[in-house]
Amino acid sequence: MSAMFHKKVLPPSKQLRVYSKGNVDLISKLPECLLLNILCFLPVSDLVRTSVLSKGWRYLWNQIPNLDFDQYLFINCLHVNVLSSGCSCQCHERKIGKFAEFIDQMLLFHHGHTILKFRLSFCFNEHFRYTERIDRWVCYALTNKVHELILDFSVCYTWSFLHNFVPYHMPHHPFAAPVRLTVLKLHFCEFNFSSFEALSLLRSLFLRRVVVLDGSIGLLIASCPLLQDLSLESCHLPDKFMNHPLDLKLKTLTVENCRINGLVNPQVEGARWIDLMSSNRPVDSFEISAPNLLSFKFCGESICKLSLKSMSRLVDAEISIDQGSVLPGQSKILHKLLKQLDHAQALTLCSWFIQVLPLEGNQQSLATPLDNLKHLKLKVGLDGLEFLGMACLLSSARNLESLVLTMGDFACIIWDYLDIEVLNVFNYDDGLYWDSQMLCFNCLKKIEIYRFSGRKQVMDMIKFLLKNSVVLENVIICSDKKIYSDTKPEYDDTSRLQIELNSFHRASPRAKILFL
């Protein structure tokens, strides 16, 4: 029996040799810049341990250009897990205290001339009284010419935690040394654009769950003349923050689920996060001009007015609305928006957008064709209420090369605010709709369908696309775990469903159906 598990010994020529003849340490002979680059891949808590390897490594760790302080990795527990495991809040605070002391010691002995990246993931709570220490850490990074600064205070994030959570406020002290900050990422904190003086070289700004106390996008651009990438996710912004009449130099812009700060005095620091959430409204309108913009993404709870001017270089755009209802005039807003995005080569739209689009204007096609559009992605449920909007988009995208359909994202809309006459556009037979369409796709080469099922609406759509795509090459189908057919219950497995799909007429002799 032991022979079965005998360890095979490789001949000396096949063994991995760490040392050359004479037991010379080859790793330590590497250039110092290369060693520092290797050390950057280690957790900070392991860096100090490298000092015992040899005399040459003793002080190497305190010169690394990347400092990554992660509380979760350091104490290996979250706030919610500590409470569930029976550990007291005092015990948890002691662990945070040790983590803070570790950071203090690391920064005390650090002798790097420039910090390329400084990341802090910390369970901030004003009751733990670490605000001044965090201020010192941030100022240390900025003073040492940090290029990328990442501050994440979401380690303790739970809904119950938010009731008394007061966000960390970014320091805005003047700095004697020139600041080299080019990338800034903030999560769960407060920020004053008007008083922060370290943004002149900033190129990328990513804010997630950040309370912006003052300013506007115009003031931001004035403070950051080199800014190219701006991402605002679940942030609380001042009123009319997104309104600016002059040209912006941005190349990418993301505004996702942001809200307008509705407090009586939004510039007062120290407001609880739960108060901010209960006294605001969604960002549903803005006016910008961005001739250099390449990528644009807007996700929100509603849409009132999106004025996007000079978007001639736009390549990729995504619009996602989760409103739950529709108001009079919103269809016209969507038509105007698509006209402003007509330079986009790739476009992603949601179910709400597709259903509301044909309520007003020409239901057959857009007034301004989307001739630049080559890639279209639709997040739909393939419900009958979406057919008219989908057909309108497809007929307007005459040069479309690829179509992506992601199933299961149907938006249930309340239509009570509209006149009954407006809804007459949906008076058609769902089961016969695609058979009645006379569209031809002369450029469509690739179709991707995700979360595929065997419902009749899905099968009819595929049949329609195969029949009218003359240069189609591939139809890629990614199915759900459970595939079913409401028209033929006996199709309870993928193979039988494939037989039906392969039997559909194809306008392109090169069209292949691939199942993944």
Side-chain angles (χ1 to χ4, degrees):
M1 179 67 71
S2 60
M4 297 176 59
F5 299 95
H6 180 70
K7 184 177 179 180
K8 183 178 180 181
V9 179
L10 297 175
S13 60
K14 298 291 185 179
Q15 294 181 14
L16 177 64
R17 296 188 176 185
V18 179
Y19 301 98
S20 65
K21 294 181 180 181
N23 291 332
V24 178
D25 185 354
L26 296 180
I27 296 181
S28 296
K29 293 296 183 179
L30 294 173
E32 183 177 286
C33 60
L34 185 56
L35 292 176
L36 291 175
N37 187 53
I38 294 174
L39 291 179
C40 288
F41 292 95
L42 292 178
V44 176
S45 56
D46 292 337
L47 287 175
V48 182
R49 300 174 184 175
T50 62
S51 61
V52 300
L53 295 178
S54 67
K55 291 183 179 180
W57 289 71
R58 186 172 184 180
Y59 299 108
L60 195 61
W61 62 270
N62 61 16
Q63 301 177 48
I64 59 170
N66 292 356
L67 297 176
D68 191 341
F69 300 107
D70 192 309
Q71 176 187 321
Y72 178 77
L73 295 178
F74 185 85
I75 65 177
N76 198 25
C77 66
L78 289 172
H79 181 71
V80 62
N81 292 338
V82 170
L83 296 180
S84 62
S85 63
C87 182
S88 65
C89 292
Q90 292 81 3
C91 174
H92 180 57
E93 186 173 351
R94 284 196 297 270
K95 292 182 178 181
I96 295 179
K98 292 181 180 180
F99 178 60
E101 292 175 1
F102 172 77
I103 297 177
D104 286 337
Q105 293 297 316
M106 280 288 298
L107 299 184
L108 179 63
F109 290 102
H110 188 267
H111 298 298
H113 297 291
T114 299
I115 300 177
L116 298 180
K117 180 179 179 181
F118 185 99
R119 177 180 176 269
L120 173 64
S121 179
F122 193 80
C123 180
F124 174 78
N125 190 316
E126 63 169 352
H127 302 298
F128 291 159
R129 302 169 186 172
Y130 288 108
T131 302
E132 292 184 2
R133 293 174 93 166
I134 298 175
D135 288 347
R136 290 201 302 269
W137 301 337
V138 173
C139 292
Y140 175 88
L142 293 173
T143 303
N144 283 270
K145 305 176 183 178
V146 63
H147 290 189
E148 180 177 357
L149 178 62
I150 304 174
L151 302 178
D152 185 355
F153 301 104
S154 64
V155 178
C156 300
Y157 172 68
T158 61
W159 283 109
S160 59
F161 178 76
L162 288 179
H163 279 274
N164 294 310
F165 176 75
V166 176
Y168 168 73
H169 188 81
M170 279 289 293
H172 43 79
H173 310 295
F175 301 97
V179 175
R180 303 294 183 182
L181 190 63
T182 59
V183 178
L184 178 60
K185 299 180 181 180
L186 303 178
H187 190 180
F188 262 125
C189 60
E190 291 180 338
F191 195 54
N192 280 90
F193 279 134
S194 61
S195 56
F196 198 78
E197 302 178 358
L199 302 176
S200 60
L201 299 179
L202 197 68
R203 292 182 178 272
S204 300
L205 177 62
F206 303 90
L207 305 181
R208 185 166 183 256
R209 294 190 181 276
V210 170
V211 182
V212 181
L213 296 174
D214 62 0
S216 64
I217 192 171
L219 179 61
L220 173 62
I221 299 303
S223 303
C224 316
L226 303 180
L227 188 66
Q228 295 182 353
D229 307 307
L230 175 61
S231 178
L232 305 172
E233 181 182 346
S234 301
C235 293
H236 295 263
L237 308 174
D239 194 16
K240 299 181 180 180
F241 179 85
M242 298 302 302
N243 292 358
H244 186 61
L246 303 180
D247 290 346
L248 306 178
K249 296 182 180 180
L250 294 175
K251 290 186 177 180
T252 65
L253 174 61
T254 298
V255 181
E256 188 171 354
N257 299 321
C258 292
R259 306 186 72 86
I260 299 298
N261 192 342
L263 294 177
V264 176
N265 188 359
Q267 296 188 19
V268 176
E269 301 176 13
R272 295 186 308 163
W273 189 269
I274 194 66
D275 295 330
L276 293 168
M277 296 178 63
S278 60
S279 58
N280 54 35
R281 68 182 190 276
V283 172
D284 56 6
S285 63
F286 52 85
E287 180 179 353
I288 61 171
S289 176
N292 297 323
L293 198 65
L294 301 176
S295 178
F296 173 71
K297 179 180 179 180
F298 175 76
C299 301
E301 297 179 19
S302 64
I303 183 170
C304 178
K305 179 183 179 182
L306 294 183
S307 179
L308 309 174
K309 301 177 182 178
S310 304
M311 309 283 275
S312 58
R313 298 186 62 189
L314 188 65
V315 175
D316 177 67
E318 178 178 350
I319 306 296
S320 180
I321 308 298
D322 187 20
Q323 186 166 320
S325 62
V326 57
L327 301 176
Q330 285 190 312
S331 178
K332 292 182 179 180
I333 295 175
L334 301 186
H335 279 271
K336 182 179 179 181
L337 179 59
L338 287 178
K339 183 178 180 180
Q340 296 169 343
L341 300 176
D342 63 349
H343 286 88
Q345 299 178 25
L347 183 62
T348 301
L349 299 175
C350 65
S351 175
W352 185 93
F353 194 108
I354 296 168
Q355 294 181 61
V356 176
L357 180 65
L359 292 180
E360 299 171 282
N362 185 3
Q363 286 83 31
Q364 304 302 320
S365 62
L366 299 174
T368 302
L370 302 176
D371 289 338
N372 295 304
L373 187 62
K374 296 182 179 180
H375 311 283
L376 178 61
K377 181 177 181 180
L378 303 179
K379 300 178 180 180
V380 295
L382 271 189
D383 184 86
L385 294 173
E386 299 168 328
F387 292 170
L388 191 59
M390 293 176 65
C392 178
L393 289 168
L394 292 174
S395 65
S396 302
R398 295 173 292 195
N399 298 315
L400 192 66
E401 296 180 2
S402 71
L403 174 65
V404 178
L405 301 176
T406 301
M407 307 296 180
D409 293 318
F410 176 71
C412 296
I413 300 177
I414 299 174
W415 307 93
D416 297 350
Y417 301 104
L418 301 180
D419 294 334
I420 191 64
E421 292 80 9
V422 176
L423 301 179
N424 288 334
V425 297
F426 297 124
N427 289 338
Y428 49 78
D429 189 338
D430 298 356
L432 302 176
Y433 183 83
W434 294 114
D435 290 336
S436 64
Q437 296 302 300
M438 304 296 293
L439 299 178
C440 183
F441 307 104
N442 297 318
C443 301
L444 188 60
K445 297 180 180 180
K446 185 178 181 180
I447 299 173
E448 299 178 52
I449 301 177
Y450 295 93
R451 300 172 67 180
F452 168 80
S453 69
R455 292 188 301 119
K456 182 180 184 302
Q457 294 92 328
V458 180
M459 301 295 285
D460 288 347
M461 182 69 181
I462 297 176
K463 184 177 181 180
F464 164 75
L465 293 172
L466 287 171
K467 180 181 177 181
N468 296 280
S469 303
V470 295
V471 296
L472 186 64
E473 297 177 359
N474 292 311
V475 178
I476 300 175
I477 297 178
C478 299
S479 62
D480 269 339
K481 294 181 180 179
K482 180 180 179 181
I483 295 180
Y484 62 94
S485 173
D486 50 10
T487 57
K488 298 182 178 181
E490 66 272 16
Y491 284 176
D492 56 355
D493 58 68
T494 306
S495 59
R496 294 185 180 182
L497 201 56
Q498 289 179 6
I499 295 175
E500 182 177 357
L501 289 171
N502 286 319
S503 67
F504 292 159
H505 173 70
R506 309 178 194 186
S508 171
R510 294 179 295 176
K512 297 180 180 179
I513 301 178
L514 307 175
F515 287 85
L516 301 179

